[in-house]
Coordinates of all heavy atoms in Angstrom, one line a residue:
M26 N 12.1 -9.7 -5.8 CA 11.9 -9.8 -4.4 C 13.2 -9.1 -3.7 O 14.3 -9.6 -4.1 CB 11.6 -11.1 -3.9 CG 11.6 -11.1 -2.5 SD 10.9 -12.7 -1.6 CE 9.3 -12.6 -2.0
P27 N 13.0 -8.3 -2.7 CA 14.3 -7.6 -2.1 C 14.9 -8.7 -1.3 O 14.4 -9.7 -0.7 CB 13.6 -6.6 -1.2 CG 12.2 -6.8 -1.2 CD 11.8 -7.6 -2.4
D28 N 16.2 -8.4 -1.1 CA 17.0 -9.3 -0.2 C 16.6 -9.0 1.2 O 16.4 -7.9 1.7 CB 18.5 -8.6 -0.4 CG 19.5 -9.5 0.4 OD1 19.2 -10.2 1.3 OD2 20.7 -9.3 0.1
P29 N 16.3 -10.2 1.9 CA 15.7 -10.1 3.2 C 16.7 -9.5 4.2 O 16.3 -9.1 5.4 CB 15.3 -11.4 3.6 CG 16.0 -12.3 2.6 CD 16.3 -11.5 1.4
S30 N 18.0 -9.4 3.8 CA 18.9 -8.7 4.8 C 19.0 -7.3 4.7 O 19.7 -6.7 5.5 CB 20.3 -9.4 4.6 OG 20.8 -9.0 3.3
V31 N 18.4 -6.8 3.7 CA 18.2 -5.3 3.4 C 17.0 -4.8 4.2 O 16.1 -5.1 4.0 CB 18.4 -5.1 1.9 CG1 18.1 -3.5 1.7 CG2 19.6 -5.5 1.2
S32 N 17.4 -3.7 4.9 CA 16.1 -3.1 5.6 C 15.4 -2.1 4.6 O 16.1 -1.4 3.7 CB 16.7 -2.2 6.7 OG 17.3 -2.9 7.6
P33 N 14.2 -2.0 4.7 CA 13.3 -1.0 3.9 C 13.7 0.3 4.2 O 14.1 0.6 5.3 CB 12.0 -1.4 4.2 CG 11.9 -2.1 5.5 CD 13.3 -2.8 5.7
T34 N 13.5 1.2 3.2 CA 13.7 2.6 3.5 C 12.5 3.3 4.2 O 12.5 4.2 4.9 CB 14.0 3.4 2.2 OG1 12.9 3.2 1.3 CG2 15.3 3.0 1.6
L35 N 11.3 2.5 4.1 CA 10.2 2.9 4.8 C 9.3 1.7 5.2 O 9.2 0.8 4.3 CB 9.3 3.8 4.0 CG 8.0 4.4 4.6 CD1 8.3 5.3 5.8 CD2 7.2 5.1 3.6
D36 N 8.8 1.6 6.4 CA 8.0 0.4 6.8 C 6.8 1.1 7.6 O 7.0 1.5 8.7 CB 8.9 -0.4 7.7 CG 8.2 -1.8 8.0 OD1 6.9 -1.9 7.8 OD2 8.9 -2.7 8.6
L37 N 5.7 0.9 6.9 CA 4.5 1.5 7.6 C 3.5 0.3 7.8 O 3.3 -0.5 6.9 CB 3.8 2.5 6.8 CG 4.6 3.8 6.4 CD1 3.9 4.6 5.4 CD2 4.9 4.6 7.6
Q38 N 2.8 0.4 8.9 CA 1.8 -0.7 9.2 C 0.7 -0.1 10.0 O 0.9 0.8 10.8 CB 2.4 -2.0 9.8 CG 3.3 -1.8 11.0 CD 4.0 -3.1 11.4 OE1 3.5 -4.1 11.1 NE2 5.2 -2.9 11.9
L39 N -0.5 -0.7 10.0 CA -1.6 -0.3 10.7 C -2.5 -1.5 11.0 O -2.8 -2.3 10.1 CB -2.5 0.7 9.9 CG -3.8 1.3 10.6 CD1 -3.5 2.1 11.8 CD2 -4.5 2.0 9.6
T40 N -3.1 -1.6 12.2 CA -4.1 -2.5 12.5 C -5.3 -1.6 12.8 O -5.2 -0.8 13.6 CB -3.7 -3.4 13.8 OG1 -2.6 -4.1 13.5 CG2 -4.9 -4.2 14.1
W41 N -6.4 -1.8 12.0 CA -7.5 -0.8 12.1 C -8.8 -1.6 12.0 O -9.0 -2.4 11.0 CB -7.4 0.0 10.8 CG -8.3 1.1 10.7 CD1 -8.3 2.3 11.3 CD2 -9.5 1.2 9.9 NE1 -9.3 3.2 10.9 CE2 -10.1 2.4 10.0 CE3 -9.9 0.2 9.0 CZ2 -11.2 2.7 9.3 CZ3 -11.1 0.6 8.3 CH2 -11.8 1.8 8.5
R42 N -9.5 -1.6 13.1 CA -10.8 -2.2 13.1 C -10.8 -3.7 12.6 O -11.7 -4.1 11.8 CB -11.8 -1.4 12.2 CG -12.0 0.1 12.8 CD -13.0 0.7 12.0 NE -13.1 2.2 12.5 CZ -13.8 3.1 11.9 NH1 -14.6 2.8 10.9 NH2 -13.7 4.3 12.4
G43 N -9.9 -4.3 13.1 CA -9.8 -5.9 12.9 C -9.1 -6.2 11.7 O -9.0 -7.4 11.2
T44 N -8.6 -5.2 10.8 CA -7.8 -5.6 9.7 C -6.3 -5.1 9.9 O -6.1 -4.3 10.7 CB -8.4 -4.8 8.4 OG1 -8.2 -3.4 8.5 CG2 -9.8 -5.2 8.2
S45 N -5.5 -5.6 9.1 CA -4.1 -5.1 9.1 C -3.5 -4.8 7.7 O -4.0 -5.5 6.7 CB -3.2 -6.3 9.9 OG -3.2 -7.4 9.0
G46 N -2.6 -4.0 7.7 CA -2.0 -3.6 6.5 C -0.5 -3.3 6.7 O -0.2 -2.7 7.8
R47 N 0.3 -3.5 5.7 CA 1.7 -3.2 5.9 C 2.3 -2.8 4.6 O 2.0 -3.6 3.6 CB 2.5 -4.3 6.5 CG 4.0 -4.0 6.7 CD 4.6 -5.0 7.5 NE 6.0 -4.6 8.0 CZ 6.8 -5.4 8.7 NH1 6.4 -6.7 8.8 NH2 7.9 -4.9 9.1
I48 N 3.1 -1.7 4.4 CA 3.8 -1.4 3.1 C 5.2 -1.2 3.4 O 5.6 -0.5 4.4 CB 3.2 -0.1 2.5 CG1 1.8 -0.3 2.1 CG2 4.1 0.4 1.3 CD1 1.1 0.7 1.4
R49 N 6.1 -1.9 2.8 CA 7.5 -1.7 3.0 C 8.3 -1.3 1.7 O 7.9 -2.0 0.7 CB 8.2 -3.0 3.4 CG 7.9 -3.4 5.0 CD 8.5 -4.6 5.3 NE 7.5 -5.6 4.7 CZ 7.5 -6.9 4.9 NH1 8.5 -7.4 5.5 NH2 6.6 -7.7 4.4
V50 N 8.8 -0.2 1.6 CA 9.4 0.3 0.4 C 11.0 0.3 0.5 O 11.5 0.6 1.6 CB 9.0 1.9 0.4 CG1 9.6 2.5 -0.9 CG2 7.6 2.1 0.4
Y51 N 11.4 -0.4 -0.5 CA 12.9 -0.6 -0.7 C 13.3 0.4 -1.8 O 12.5 1.1 -2.3 CB 13.2 -1.9 -1.0 CG 12.7 -3.0 0.0 CD1 11.5 -3.4 0.1 CD2 13.7 -3.4 1.0 CE1 11.2 -4.3 1.1 CE2 13.4 -4.2 2.0 CZ 12.1 -4.7 1.9 OH 11.7 -5.6 3.0
D52 N 14.6 0.5 -2.3 CA 15.0 1.4 -3.2 C 14.2 1.5 -4.5 O 13.8 2.5 -5.0 CB 16.6 1.3 -3.5 CG 17.5 1.8 -2.3 OD1 17.0 2.6 -1.5 OD2 18.6 1.2 -2.2
H53 N 14.0 0.2 -5.0 CA 13.2 0.2 -6.3 C 12.1 -0.8 -6.3 O 11.7 -1.2 -7.5 CB 14.3 -0.1 -7.4 CG 15.4 0.8 -7.6 ND1 15.2 2.2 -8.0 CD2 16.6 0.9 -7.2 CE1 16.2 2.9 -8.0 NE2 17.1 2.0 -7.5
T54 N 11.7 -1.1 -5.2 CA 10.5 -2.2 -5.1 C 9.8 -1.9 -3.8 O 10.2 -1.2 -2.9 CB 11.0 -3.6 -5.1 OG1 10.0 -4.5 -5.3 CG2 11.9 -3.9 -3.9
V55 N 8.5 -2.4 -3.9 CA 7.6 -2.2 -2.8 C 7.0 -3.6 -2.5 O 6.6 -4.4 -3.4 CB 6.5 -1.3 -3.2 CG1 5.4 -1.2 -2.1 CG2 7.1 0.1 -3.5
R56 N 6.9 -3.9 -1.2 CA 6.2 -5.1 -0.8 C 5.1 -4.7 0.1 O 5.2 -3.7 0.9 CB 7.2 -6.0 0.1 CG 8.3 -6.6 -0.9 CD 9.1 -7.6 -0.2 NE 8.2 -8.7 0.2 CZ 8.6 -9.7 1.0 NH1 9.7 -9.6 1.6 NH2 7.7 -10.7 1.1
A57 N 3.9 -5.3 0.0 CA 2.7 -4.9 0.7 C 1.9 -6.2 1.1 O 2.0 -7.2 0.4 CB 1.9 -3.9 0.0
E58 N 1.2 -6.1 2.2 CA 0.3 -7.1 2.7 C -0.9 -6.5 3.3 O -0.8 -5.3 3.7 CB 0.9 -8.1 3.6 CG 1.5 -7.4 4.8 CD 2.4 -8.4 5.6 OE1 3.3 -9.1 5.0 OE2 2.3 -8.4 6.9
T59 N -2.1 -7.2 3.1 CA -3.2 -6.6 3.6 C -4.3 -7.7 4.0 O -4.1 -8.8 3.4 CB -3.9 -5.6 2.6 OG1 -5.0 -5.0 3.2 CG2 -4.4 -6.4 1.4
S60 N -5.2 -7.3 5.0 CA -6.3 -8.3 5.2 C -7.5 -7.6 4.9 O -8.6 -8.2 5.2 CB -6.2 -8.8 6.7 OG -6.4 -7.8 7.6
F61 N -7.5 -6.3 4.5 CA -8.6 -5.4 4.2 C -9.5 -6.1 3.1 O -9.0 -6.3 2.1 CB -8.3 -4.0 4.0 CG -9.4 -3.1 3.9 CD1 -10.4 -2.8 4.9 CD2 -9.7 -2.5 2.6 CE1 -11.4 -2.1 4.8 CE2 -10.8 -1.6 2.6 CZ -11.8 -1.4 3.5
E62 N -10.7 -6.4 3.4 CA -11.6 -7.0 2.3 C -11.1 -8.4 2.0 O -11.4 -8.8 0.9 CB -11.8 -6.2 1.2 CG -12.3 -4.7 1.5 CD -12.3 -3.8 0.3 OE1 -11.5 -3.9 -0.6 OE2 -13.2 -3.0 0.3
R63 N -10.3 -9.1 2.8 CA -9.8 -10.4 2.5 C -10.2 -11.4 3.7 O -10.4 -10.9 4.8 CB -8.3 -10.4 2.4 CG -7.8 -9.4 1.4 CD -8.1 -9.8 0.0 NE -7.8 -8.6 -1.0 CZ -7.9 -8.8 -2.3 NH1 -8.1 -10.0 -2.8 NH2 -7.8 -7.8 -3.1
D64 N -10.0 -12.7 3.5 CA -10.3 -13.6 4.4 C -9.2 -13.8 5.5 O -9.3 -14.3 6.6 CB -10.6 -15.1 3.9 CG -12.0 -15.1 3.1 OD1 -12.8 -14.3 3.6 OD2 -12.2 -15.9 2.2
G65 N -8.1 -13.4 5.1 CA -6.9 -13.3 6.0 C -5.8 -12.4 5.3 O -6.1 -11.8 4.3
V66 N -4.5 -12.5 5.8 CA -3.5 -11.6 5.3 C -3.1 -12.1 3.9 O -2.7 -13.4 3.9 CB -2.4 -11.4 6.3 CG1 -1.2 -10.6 5.8 CG2 -2.9 -10.8 7.7
V67 N -3.0 -11.3 2.9 CA -2.5 -11.8 1.7 C -1.3 -10.8 1.3 O -1.3 -9.6 1.7 CB -3.6 -11.8 0.6 CG1 -4.6 -12.7 0.9 CG2 -4.1 -10.4 0.3
Q68 N -0.4 -11.3 0.4 CA 0.7 -10.6 -0.2 C 0.1 -9.9 -1.4 O -0.5 -10.4 -2.1 CB 1.8 -11.4 -0.6 CG 2.5 -12.1 0.5 CD 3.2 -11.0 1.4 OE1 3.9 -10.2 1.0 NE2 3.1 -11.2 2.8
V69 N 0.4 -8.6 -1.5 CA -0.1 -7.8 -2.6 C 0.8 -7.9 -3.7 O 2.0 -7.8 -3.6 CB -0.2 -6.3 -2.3 CG1 -0.8 -5.5 -3.5 CG2 -1.2 -6.1 -1.2
P70 N 0.3 -8.4 -4.9 CA 1.2 -8.5 -6.0 C 1.6 -7.3 -6.7 O 1.2 -6.9 -7.8 CB 0.4 -9.5 -7.1 CG -1.0 -9.1 -6.7 CD -1.1 -8.7 -5.2
V71 N 2.4 -6.5 -6.0 CA 2.8 -5.1 -6.4 C 3.5 -5.2 -7.8 O 3.1 -4.3 -8.7 CB 3.7 -4.4 -5.4 CG1 4.1 -3.1 -5.8 CG2 3.0 -4.3 -4.1
D72 N 4.2 -6.2 -8.1 CA 4.8 -6.2 -9.5 C 3.9 -6.4 -10.6 O 4.1 -6.1 -11.8 CB 5.9 -7.4 -9.4 CG 5.2 -8.7 -9.0 OD1 4.3 -8.8 -8.4 OD2 5.9 -9.7 -9.5
R73 N 2.6 -6.9 -10.3 CA 1.5 -7.1 -11.3 C 0.6 -5.8 -11.3 O -0.2 -5.8 -12.2 CB 0.7 -8.2 -11.0 CG 1.3 -9.6 -11.2 CD 0.3 -10.7 -11.2 NE -1.0 -10.5 -11.0 CZ -1.7 -10.9 -10.1 NH1 -1.2 -11.9 -9.0 NH2 -3.1 -10.7 -9.8
A74 N 0.9 -4.9 -10.4 CA -0.1 -3.8 -10.4 C 0.2 -2.8 -11.5 O 1.3 -2.6 -12.0 CB 0.1 -2.9 -9.2
R75 N -1.0 -2.3 -12.2 CA -0.9 -1.4 -13.3 C -0.8 0.0 -12.7 O -0.5 0.9 -13.6 CB -1.8 -1.5 -14.4 CG -3.2 -1.4 -13.8 CD -4.2 -1.6 -15.1 NE -5.5 -1.6 -14.6 CZ -6.4 -0.4 -14.5 NH1 -5.8 0.7 -14.9 NH2 -7.6 -0.5 -14.1
G76 N -0.8 0.2 -11.5 CA -0.8 1.6 -10.9 C -1.1 1.5 -9.5 O -1.6 0.5 -8.9
W77 N -1.0 2.7 -8.9 CA -1.4 2.7 -7.4 C -2.0 4.2 -7.2 O -1.9 5.0 -8.1 CB -0.2 2.5 -6.5 CG 0.9 3.7 -6.7 CD1 1.9 3.6 -7.6 CD2 0.9 4.9 -5.9 NE1 2.5 4.9 -7.5 CE2 1.9 5.5 -6.5 CE3 0.2 5.3 -4.8 CZ2 2.4 6.8 -5.9 CZ3 0.6 6.6 -4.3 CH2 1.7 7.3 -4.8
R78 N -2.7 4.2 -6.1 CA -3.2 5.6 -5.7 C -3.6 5.6 -4.2 O -3.7 4.5 -3.6 CB -4.4 6.0 -6.6 CG -5.7 5.2 -6.3 CD -6.8 5.7 -7.1 NE -7.6 4.6 -7.4 CZ -7.9 4.0 -8.7 NH1 -7.3 4.7 -9.7 NH2 -8.7 3.0 -8.9
I79 N -3.8 6.6 -3.6 CA -4.2 6.9 -2.2 C -5.4 7.6 -2.2 O -5.6 8.6 -2.8 CB -3.1 7.6 -1.4 CG1 -1.6 6.8 -1.3 CG2 -3.6 7.8 0.0 CD1 -0.7 7.5 -0.6
E80 N -6.4 6.9 -1.5 CA -7.7 7.5 -1.4 C -8.2 7.5 0.1 O -7.7 6.8 0.9 CB -8.8 6.5 -2.1 CG -8.5 6.3 -3.7 CD -9.2 7.4 -4.5 OE1 -10.1 8.2 -4.1 OE2 -8.6 7.7 -5.6
P81 N -9.1 8.5 0.4 CA -9.5 8.5 1.8 C -10.4 7.2 2.1 O -10.9 6.7 1.2 CB -10.5 9.8 1.8 CG -10.2 10.4 0.5 CD -9.6 9.6 -0.4
C82 N -10.3 6.8 3.3 CA -11.0 5.6 3.7 C -12.0 5.9 4.7 O -13.1 5.5 4.8 CB -10.0 4.6 4.1 SG -10.8 3.0 4.7
D83 N -11.5 6.6 5.8 CA -12.4 7.1 6.9 C -11.7 8.3 7.5 O -10.6 8.7 6.9 CB -12.4 5.9 7.9 CG -13.8 6.1 8.7 OD1 -14.3 7.1 8.9 OD2 -14.3 4.9 9.1
F84 N -12.1 8.9 8.6 CA -11.5 10.0 9.2 C -10.2 9.7 9.8 O -9.3 10.5 10.0 CB -12.4 10.7 10.2 CG -12.6 9.8 11.5 CD1 -11.8 10.0 12.5 CD2 -13.5 8.8 11.6 CE1 -11.9 9.3 13.7 CE2 -13.7 8.0 12.6 CZ -12.8 8.3 13.8
D85 N -9.9 8.3 10.1 CA -8.7 8.0 10.7 C -7.8 7.0 10.0 O -6.9 6.3 10.4 CB -9.0 7.4 12.1 CG -9.9 6.2 12.1 OD1 -10.5 5.9 11.1 OD2 -10.0 5.6 13.1
A86 N -8.1 6.9 8.7 CA -7.3 5.9 7.8 C -7.4 6.4 6.3 O -8.4 7.0 6.0 CB -7.8 4.4 8.0
V87 N -6.4 6.1 5.6 CA -6.3 6.2 4.2 C -6.1 4.8 3.6 O -5.6 3.8 4.2 CB -5.2 7.2 3.7 CG1 -5.6 8.7 4.1 CG2 -3.8 6.7 4.2
C88 N -6.5 4.7 2.3 CA -6.5 3.5 1.7 C -5.4 3.6 0.5 O -5.6 4.5 -0.5 CB -7.8 3.1 1.1 SG -8.0 1.5 0.3
V89 N -4.3 2.8 0.5 CA -3.4 2.7 -0.6 C -3.9 1.6 -1.5 O -4.1 0.5 -1.1 CB -1.9 2.5 -0.2 CG1 -1.1 2.4 -1.4 CG2 -1.5 3.5 0.8
E90 N -4.3 2.0 -2.7 CA -4.9 0.9 -3.7 C -3.7 0.5 -4.6 O -3.2 1.4 -5.3 CB -6.1 1.5 -4.4 CG -7.3 1.8 -3.6 CD -8.4 2.3 -4.2 OE1 -8.3 2.9 -5.4 OE2 -9.5 2.3 -3.8
F91 N -3.6 -0.7 -4.8 CA -2.7 -1.3 -5.9 C -3.7 -1.9 -6.8 O -4.4 -2.9 -6.6 CB -1.7 -2.3 -5.3 CG -0.7 -1.7 -4.3 CD1 -1.0 -1.6 -3.0 CD2 0.3 -1.1 -4.8 CE1 -0.1 -1.1 -2.1 CE2 1.3 -0.5 -4.0 CZ 1.1 -0.5 -2.6
V92 N -3.8 -1.3 -8.1 CA -4.7 -1.7 -9.1 C -4.1 -2.7 -10.1 O -3.2 -2.4 -10.8 CB -5.3 -0.5 -9.8 CG1 -6.3 -0.9 -10.8 CG2 -5.9 0.6 -8.8
C93 N -4.6 -4.0 -10.0 CA -4.2 -5.0 -10.9 C -5.2 -5.1 -12.0 O -6.2 -4.6 -12.0 CB -4.0 -6.3 -10.1 SG -2.7 -6.2 -8.8
E94 N -4.9 -6.0 -13.0 CA -5.9 -6.2 -14.1 C -7.1 -6.7 -13.6 O -8.2 -6.2 -14.0 CB -5.1 -7.1 -15.1 CG -5.9 -7.3 -16.4 CD -5.9 -6.0 -17.1 OE1 -4.8 -5.3 -17.1 OE2 -6.9 -5.6 -17.8
D95 N -7.2 -7.6 -12.7 CA -8.6 -8.3 -12.4 C -9.1 -7.9 -11.0 O -10.3 -8.4 -10.6 CB -8.3 -9.7 -12.5 CG -7.2 -10.4 -11.7 OD1 -6.3 -9.6 -11.3 OD2 -7.1 -11.5 -11.5
E96 N -8.3 -7.1 -10.2 CA -8.7 -6.9 -8.9 C -7.9 -5.7 -8.3 O -6.8 -5.4 -8.8 CB -8.8 -8.0 -7.9 CG -7.4 -8.6 -7.5 CD -7.6 -9.8 -6.7 OE1 -8.4 -9.8 -5.6 OE2 -7.1 -10.9 -7.0
T97 N -8.4 -5.1 -7.3 CA -7.7 -4.1 -6.5 C -7.3 -4.5 -5.1 O -8.3 -5.0 -4.5 CB -8.6 -2.7 -6.5 OG1 -8.7 -2.3 -8.0 CG2 -7.9 -1.6 -5.8
F98 N -6.0 -4.3 -4.8 CA -5.8 -4.6 -3.4 C -5.6 -3.3 -2.6 O -5.0 -2.4 -3.0 CB -4.4 -5.4 -3.3 CG -4.5 -6.7 -3.9 CD1 -4.4 -6.8 -5.2 CD2 -4.6 -7.8 -3.1 CE1 -4.5 -8.1 -5.9 CE2 -4.7 -9.1 -3.7 CZ -4.5 -9.2 -5.1
R99 N -6.3 -3.3 -1.4 CA -6.3 -2.0 -0.6 C -5.5 -2.3 0.7 O -5.9 -3.3 1.4 CB -7.8 -1.6 -0.3 CG -8.4 -1.1 -1.6 CD -9.9 -0.7 -1.3 NE -10.5 -0.4 -2.5 CZ -11.0 -1.2 -3.4 NH1 -11.0 -2.6 -3.3 NH2 -11.6 -0.7 -4.6
V100 N -4.6 -1.4 1.0 CA -3.8 -1.4 2.2 C -4.3 -0.2 3.0 O -3.9 1.0 2.5 CB -2.3 -1.5 1.9 CG1 -1.5 -1.6 3.1 CG2 -2.0 -2.7 1.0
L101 N -4.7 -0.3 4.3 CA -5.0 0.8 4.9 C -3.7 1.3 5.8 O -3.0 0.5 6.3 CB -6.1 0.4 6.0 CG -7.4 -0.1 5.3 CD1 -8.4 -0.3 6.4 CD2 -7.9 0.9 4.3
L102 N -3.7 2.6 6.0 CA -2.7 3.3 6.6 C -3.3 4.4 7.5 O -4.4 4.9 7.1 CB -1.6 3.8 5.7 CG -0.8 2.9 4.9 CD1 0.2 3.7 4.0 CD2 0.0 2.0 5.8
D103 N -2.6 4.7 8.5 CA -3.0 5.9 9.3 C -3.0 7.2 8.5 O -2.1 7.4 7.7 CB -2.0 6.0 10.6 CG -2.6 6.9 11.6 OD1 -2.3 8.3 11.4 OD2 -3.2 6.5 12.6
T104 N -3.9 8.1 8.8 CA -3.9 9.3 7.9 C -2.6 10.2 8.1 O -2.2 10.8 7.2 CB -5.1 10.2 8.3 OG1 -5.1 10.4 9.8 CG2 -6.4 9.5 8.0
S105 N -2.0 10.0 9.3 CA -0.7 10.7 9.5 C 0.4 10.3 8.6 O 1.5 10.9 8.4 CB -0.4 10.8 10.9 OG 0.0 9.5 11.4
D106 N 0.3 9.1 8.1 CA 1.3 8.4 7.2 C 1.1 8.7 5.7 O 1.9 8.3 4.9 CB 1.4 6.9 7.4 CG 1.9 6.5 8.8 OD1 2.7 7.4 9.3 OD2 1.5 5.5 9.4
E107 N 0.0 9.4 5.4 CA -0.3 9.5 3.9 C 0.8 10.3 3.1 O 1.2 9.9 2.1 CB -1.6 10.3 3.8 CG -2.0 10.5 2.4 CD -3.3 11.3 2.2 OE1 -4.0 11.6 3.2 OE2 -3.6 11.5 1.1
R108 N 1.3 11.4 3.7 CA 2.2 12.2 3.0 C 3.5 11.5 2.8 O 4.1 11.3 1.6 CB 2.5 13.5 3.7 CG 3.4 14.5 3.0 CD 3.5 15.8 3.6 NE 4.3 16.6 2.9 CZ 5.4 17.0 3.3 NH1 6.1 16.6 4.3 NH2 6.2 17.8 2.4
V109 N 4.1 10.8 3.8 CA 5.3 10.0 3.6 C 5.1 8.8 2.7 O 6.1 8.4 2.0 CB 6.0 9.7 5.0 CG1 5.2 8.7 5.7 CG2 7.4 9.3 4.8
A110 N 4.0 8.2 2.9 CA 3.8 7.1 1.9 C 3.7 7.5 0.5 O 4.2 6.8 -0.4 CB 2.4 6.3 2.4
R111 N 3.0 8.6 0.2 CA 3.0 9.0 -1.1 C 4.3 9.4 -1.6 O 4.6 8.9 -2.8 CB 2.0 10.3 -1.1 CG 1.8 10.8 -2.6 CD 1.0 12.0 -2.5 NE -0.4 11.9 -2.0 CZ -1.5 11.4 -2.5 NH1 -1.4 11.0 -3.9 NH2 -2.5 11.2 -2.0
L112 N 5.1 10.0 -0.9 CA 6.5 10.4 -1.5 C 7.3 9.1 -1.7 O 7.9 9.0 -2.8 CB 7.2 11.3 -0.5 CG 6.6 12.7 -0.2 CD1 7.2 13.3 0.9 CD2 6.8 13.5 -1.6
A113 N 7.2 8.2 -0.8 CA 8.0 6.9 -1.0 C 7.5 6.1 -2.2 O 8.4 5.5 -2.9 CB 8.0 6.1 0.3
L114 N 6.2 5.9 -2.3 CA 5.6 5.2 -3.5 C 6.0 5.9 -4.8 O 6.2 5.2 -5.7 CB 4.1 5.0 -3.2 CG 3.8 4.0 -2.0 CD1 2.3 4.0 -1.7 CD2 4.2 2.6 -2.3
E115 N 5.8 7.3 -4.9 CA 6.1 7.9 -6.1 C 7.5 7.6 -6.5 O 7.9 7.5 -7.6 CB 5.8 9.4 -5.9 CG 4.4 9.7 -6.2 CD 4.2 11.1 -6.2 OE1 5.0 11.9 -6.8 OE2 3.2 11.7 -5.6
R116 N 8.5 7.7 -5.5 CA 9.9 7.4 -5.8 C 10.2 6.0 -6.2 O 10.8 5.8 -7.2 CB 10.7 7.7 -4.5 CG 12.3 7.5 -4.7 CD 13.1 8.0 -3.6 NE 13.0 9.3 -3.5 CZ 13.0 9.9 -2.2 NH1 13.2 9.2 -1.1 NH2 13.0 11.2 -2.1
A117 N 9.5 5.0 -5.7 CA 9.7 3.7 -6.0 C 8.9 3.2 -7.2 O 9.4 2.3 -8.0 CB 9.3 2.7 -4.8
L118 N 7.7 3.6 -7.4 CA 6.7 3.2 -8.4 C 6.3 4.0 -9.4 O 5.7 3.9 -10.5 CB 5.5 2.5 -7.8 CG 5.7 1.4 -6.7 CD1 4.3 1.1 -6.1 CD2 6.3 0.2 -7.4
G119 N 6.7 5.4 -9.3 CA 6.2 6.4 -10.3 C 5.0 7.1 -9.8 O 4.5 6.9 -8.7
A120 N 4.5 8.0 -10.6 CA 3.3 8.7 -10.4 C 2.1 7.9 -10.0 O 1.9 6.8 -10.7 CB 2.9 9.8 -11.4
P121 N 1.1 8.2 -9.2 CA 0.0 7.6 -8.8 C -1.1 7.7 -10.1 O -1.0 8.6 -10.9 CB -0.6 8.2 -7.6 CG -0.1 9.7 -7.7 CD 1.3 9.6 -8.4
L122 N -2.1 6.8 -10.0 CA -3.2 6.8 -11.0 C -4.1 8.0 -10.5 O -4.0 8.5 -9.4 CB -3.9 5.5 -10.9 CG -3.3 4.3 -11.3 CD1 -4.1 3.1 -11.0 CD2 -3.0 4.3 -12.9
P123 N -4.9 8.5 -11.5 CA -5.9 9.5 -11.0 C -6.9 8.9 -10.0 O -7.1 7.7 -9.9 CB -6.5 9.9 -12.3 CG -6.0 9.1 -13.4 CD -5.0 8.1 -12.8
P124 N -7.5 9.8 -9.3 CA -8.6 9.3 -8.2 C -9.6 8.4 -9.0 O -9.9 8.6 -10.0 CB -9.2 10.5 -7.7 CG -8.1 11.7 -8.0 CD -7.5 11.2 -9.2
A125 N -10.2 7.5 -8.1 CA -11.1 6.6 -8.8 C -12.4 7.1 -9.0 O -13.1 6.7 -9.9 CB -11.3 5.4 -7.8
S126 N -12.8 8.3 -8.3 CA -14.1 8.8 -8.5 C -14.0 10.1 -9.3 O -13.1 10.7 -9.6 CB -14.8 9.1 -7.2 OG -13.9 9.7 -6.2

């Protein structure tokens, strides 16, 4: 877990059609939370994820998927944030998984 006194290098968040998502990227770790497809806001277990990818969600949102062994957590971001999110996540977590479809 990152030191709470350290600012993230990137902090993206979106409230979209009644759901919320946030991704904070630090030098070597990522923290994320989402309410998409959930009963409330949950912390994404990024450290348990076997990989991540960015998929289209709608014309005005993209979906960052953190793929864990037993489930996938989806964090929605604005389409304009896709490029910077991809670069930051690759730097912190490595290359993305191939597309789901």
Side-chain angles (χ1 to χ4, degrees):
M26 173 167 289
D28 180 343
S30 67
V31 176
S32 296
T34 56
L35 181 66
D36 188 347
L37 299 172
Q38 52 190 328
L39 176 68
T40 300
W41 184 82
R42 299 182 186 175
T44 66
S45 63
R47 183 174 190 182
I48 295 178
R49 286 174 282 180
V50 180
Y51 298 83
D52 286 335
H53 300 289
T54 191
V55 175
R56 293 188 66 195
E58 57 191 44
T59 186
S60 67
F61 186 64
E62 301 174 327
R63 307 286 166 172
D64 291 332
V66 176
V67 298
Q68 295 294 316
V69 176
V71 176
D72 57 333
R73 284 191 6 237
R75 60 181 175 88
W77 67 276
R78 66 179 151 246
I79 298 179
E80 298 278 336
C82 179
D83 206 330
F84 71 94
D85 58 350
V87 293
C88 183
V89 179
E90 296 182 339
F91 293 95
V92 181
C93 296
E94 191 65 36
D95 54 345
E96 64 184 312
T97 298
F98 293 83
R99 293 174 179 88
V100 180
L101 301 182
L102 295 177
D103 191 280
T104 55
S105 65
D106 291 332
E107 180 178 3
R108 185 168 180 253
V109 70
R111 182 180 303 277
L112 291 171
L114 290 169
E115 280 188 38
R116 182 174 292 148
L118 301 175
L122 296 170
S126 46

